[in-house]
Amino acid sequence: MSVHSNEKSYLRRFWIPITLITVFAIAEAVNWTTNLVSEQLIPRFASSAQVVVGRNLVLLFGGLLLIWLLFTRQVSRKIKYYTFGILAIAAGLFAASIREIENTGNNNYVFHFRWEPTQEQRLQQYLLINKPGLGSNELVANAPTQTDFLGSQRDGVVPGSKLKFDLKQHAPKELWRRPVGGGYASCVLAGGLAVTIEQRGEEEMVVAYDLKTGQERWTRGYPGHFKESLGGNGPRATPTISNNEVFALGASGLLTCLDLASGQEKWKTNILEDASISNIQWGMSGAPLVVGNKVIVNPGGTNDFGVVAYDRATGKAVWHAGKNRASYASPVLAKLADVETVLIFDAEGVAGHELATGKELWRFAFGNTNKINVAQPLALPGDQVFVSAGYDAGAVMLQIKKDGGAWTATPIWQNKRLKCKMSSAVFHEGFLYGMDDGILACLDAKTGERKWKAGRYGHGQLLLRNDVLVIMGEAGDLVLVAADPKVHRELAKVPMLPGGKVWNAPALADDLLLLRNHYEAVLLQLATE
């Protein structure tokens, strides 16, 4: 028999697996090519779809090949037994070796194996060597300060000296690095301390670290362990520092007021119990907003307890208002039509509440069907408010007007060119910069026109320092990008927190950049001009 006839016979016998493999290769090529094109032409299909579709294609065609192998007569029983036996053993060993599975913002999996030390083990081993509680309770005057989530205005804009772009010649100096407790809160800085809230065992713990050394100055723990398998365990809301007091909100609603120097408790209350409302799916995530004598939070109670202002001295409710369920953004203070207004982005949309009384002045229904609204609303010049949400919701620019006693919130433009799923946009010189489903995008704030979309940083977080975007990518890379509407220019990219996902926003004050994820924290000193 000729070689040619042997080839024909082989193709006839195995045409099904050959066809499946060929179709799989073509489908994967189309998936990747379509995704690259979609970044520019069809942005709503870009980002996470590529990996999710690719993973599903592997499962689909792999399953079809196994079904063919099970029923075909072209392969001997012995080979079938060996193949399925090896696959079963490999699958069993792999499953048995997994201790924990994390989900990223794009619904990809991060596996943690049993031989890896747990977050708790790493922290406890560190604490055995580095005893906490050293140092005095004195606060440092004129220390670097960032007292609020995403900066003093909660808009991601952090003023300071201009950064040097070349991180190869001017590499960030690592001042300290250490394990921390779990959770997705960020750090706030004041008085020479860095304060955050962490999960440690079965306690939510407010922790103050010495900014110079990274050693614990004090801790204050409360029973509580918010568990959520998809998003992850632990507290979410970044504490707030005001006049040497710390206001921290746990994932299950415990709001505490602590002395910044010592950690001594001044008062506590549970905002969900006060509002007679159950928790939302991913837990309380909004950083308390402190204005004057008020501490404002968004429990989302349906009986006029949607938004609550507590007296900062006593912890008693000053006012409460609103009937909508909470979502995951933090309250923002803005002056709109010459009225001090608290912006709330809840599960149903964005609203403006009068600071003095809590009265809802206006509301615009916006968001996604999942009611997962995370990004901070931005108050922009000209009494405008910008909001964005993921899960195909998009973005809207609102014009807020007051005519006598009547308020209106009217869309100037609305589109799906910027879908901030897990991070917030920043505004700079007429343009908006944010993560559109994990890809950095720039929009004209006046028209909503997209100027560019490039740079896959995942569902990371970003700040603006002068004309530079300081991005902490979801995969742990520190990235500097020019805030330039003409073109995407990546100035530097260095790995800083590998091995997990980074959903915690960075804290930037003077030349210090404090990064953390749910495993460790690192303090960097950046080169400035």
Side-chain angles (χ1 to χ4, degrees):
M1 185 179 290
S2 67
V3 174
H4 188 63
S5 62
N6 281 335
E7 290 176 354
K8 284 186 175 180
S9 175
Y10 182 85
L11 290 173
R12 279 196 300 271
R13 290 173 59 197
F14 297 101
W15 70 271
I16 292 179
I18 292 172
T19 302
L20 287 174
I21 292 171
T22 303
V23 173
F24 168 73
I26 293 172
E28 275 287 25
V30 170
N31 175 39
W32 283 77
T33 304
T34 301
N35 191 71
L36 291 174
V37 174
S38 71
E39 288 186 20
Q40 300 300 322
L41 301 181
I42 322 171
R44 66 187 294 181
F45 293 118
S47 70
S48 62
Q50 171 190 353
V51 178
V52 173
V53 170
R55 183 179 66 204
N56 291 340
L57 287 173
V58 170
L59 294 174
L60 173 63
F61 284 96
L64 290 174
L65 281 172
L66 289 177
I67 292 172
W68 171 83
L69 182 62
L70 181 64
F71 292 103
T72 185
R73 296 181 179 178
Q74 306 299 331
V75 177
S76 68
R77 288 186 178 181
K78 186 177 182 180
I79 292 177
K80 290 182 182 181
Y81 292 153
Y82 278 132
T83 301
F84 282 99
I86 291 171
L87 286 175
I89 292 171
L93 290 173
F94 180 74
S97 67
I98 296 173
R99 185 189 72 244
E100 180 187 6
I101 301 176
E102 280 188 57
N103 278 74
T104 68
N106 285 340
N107 293 323
N108 299 322
Y109 302 133
V110 178
F111 296 102
H112 296 283
F113 298 97
R114 296 187 183 278
W115 55 81
E116 299 175 2
T118 66
Q119 175 267 331
E120 282 288 334
Q121 288 170 340
R122 283 188 279 190
L123 179 57
Q124 292 305 318
Q125 186 177 13
Y126 180 89
L127 292 177
L128 284 174
I129 301 170
N130 302 272
K131 299 294 183 182
L134 302 177
S136 70
N137 286 338
E138 292 185 6
L139 299 177
V140 178
N142 302 318
T145 300
Q146 183 181 315
T147 58
D148 275 81
F149 176 58
L150 297 179
S152 60
Q153 304 302 312
R154 302 193 166 197
D155 58 0
V157 179
V158 183
S161 302
K162 190 164 184 170
L163 302 175
K164 290 189 176 179
F165 304 147
D166 191 344
L167 295 189
K168 290 183 178 179
Q169 289 192 6
H170 304 282
K173 182 181 178 182
E174 188 172 307
L175 300 180
W176 52 260
R177 180 185 293 265
R178 57 159 296 149
V180 296
Y184 303 106
S186 304
C187 297
V188 282
L189 314 176
L193 299 178
V195 182
T196 189
I197 183 170
E198 309 172 359
Q199 190 69 49
R200 296 194 180 185
E202 294 304 311
E203 283 190 319
E204 289 185 331
M205 191 166 287
V206 186
V207 185
Y209 296 100
D210 188 288
L211 192 57
K212 282 187 177 180
T213 65
Q215 298 304 303
E216 292 177 12
R217 285 272 291 274
W218 56 258
T219 62
R220 178 65 58 181
Y222 298 91
H225 193 171
F226 182 83
K227 298 182 180 180
E228 201 290 306
S229 58
L230 189 61
N233 303 334
R236 278 95 161 103
T238 299
T240 302
I241 298 175
S242 175
N243 293 337
N244 294 336
E245 291 179 326
V246 176
F247 300 88
L249 178 63
S252 297
L254 183 65
L255 176 64
T256 57
C257 173
L258 308 175
D259 178 69
L260 175 62
S262 65
Q264 185 68 34
E265 179 188 299
K266 295 189 173 183
W267 55 260
K268 66 181 178 181
T269 189
N270 191 296
I271 68 172
L272 293 177
E273 293 176 4
D274 293 346
S276 300
I277 192 72
S278 59
N279 207 347
I280 51 179
Q281 183 176 3
W282 316 112
M284 292 284 100
S285 303
L289 174 66
V290 183
V291 184
N293 68 334
K294 298 180 182 68
V295 183
I296 301 167
V297 290
N298 179 207
T302 55
N303 54 345
D304 289 327
F305 265 85
V307 187
V308 183
Y310 291 93
D311 186 291
R312 69 173 294 160
T314 65
K316 305 298 182 183
V318 176
W319 55 250
H320 51 87
K323 299 180 179 180
N324 291 309
R325 290 288 277 168
S327 199
Y328 306 94
S330 299
V332 174
L333 180 67
K335 195 165 189 179
L336 299 170
D338 291 326
V339 176
E340 293 282 272
T341 305
V342 178
L343 298 179
I344 298 291
F345 192 17
D346 56 34
E348 305 299 332
V350 61
H353 290 258
E354 187 177 50
L355 173 63
T357 65
K359 176 184 176 183
E360 186 175 288
L361 303 174
W362 54 267
R363 169 170 288 276
F364 183 80
F366 181 79
N368 47 65
T369 55
N370 300 321
K371 302 187 184 301
I372 304 174
N373 300 322
V374 177
Q376 291 297 95
L378 299 180
L380 302 182
D383 293 334
Q384 295 179 4
V385 173
F386 171 81
V387 283
S388 175
Y391 301 96
D392 206 38
V396 62
M397 184 70 75
L398 300 174
Q399 181 67 60
I400 310 301
K401 289 185 178 179
K402 180 177 183 289
D403 185 6
W407 289 78
T408 56
T410 307
I412 299 172
W413 55 261
Q414 186 170 356
N415 59 44
K416 296 185 178 181
R417 294 171 187 153
L418 181 55
K419 302 176 290 297
C420 296
K421 181 179 178 182
M422 300 181 71
S423 61
S424 303
V426 295
F427 174 78
H428 180 59
E429 295 184 348
F431 296 90
L432 294 157
Y433 300 86
M435 298 295 181
D436 179 32
D437 267 344
I439 303 175
L440 187 63
C442 172
L443 265 60
D444 188 317
K446 221 178 248 190
T447 64
E449 175 192 1
R450 194 178 69 227
K451 308 306 291 184
W452 51 258
K453 178 179 175 180
R456 294 174 176 275
Y457 307 121
H459 295 281
Q461 308 291 326
L462 68 157
L463 300 174
L464 176 74
R465 164 68 69 85
N466 298 317
D467 56 355
V468 176
L469 300 170
V470 180
I471 299 172
M472 194 61 216
E474 187 179 15
D477 294 323
L478 172 62
V479 189
L480 300 183
V481 176
D484 184 349
K486 295 178 182 177
V487 65
H488 169 258
R489 286 192 294 124
E490 189 175 284
L491 305 171
K493 185 176 183 179
V494 290
M496 279 298 163
L497 289 173
K501 62 191 176 197
V502 183
W503 289 349
N504 315 66
L508 177 60
D510 297 344
D511 61 348
L512 298 181
L513 178 65
L514 181 54
L515 310 172
R516 70 157 289 200
N517 59 11
H518 52 321
Y519 291 111
E520 64 177 344
V522 57
L523 180 67
L524 305 174
Q525 186 174 37
L526 304 178
T528 58
E529 294 182 2

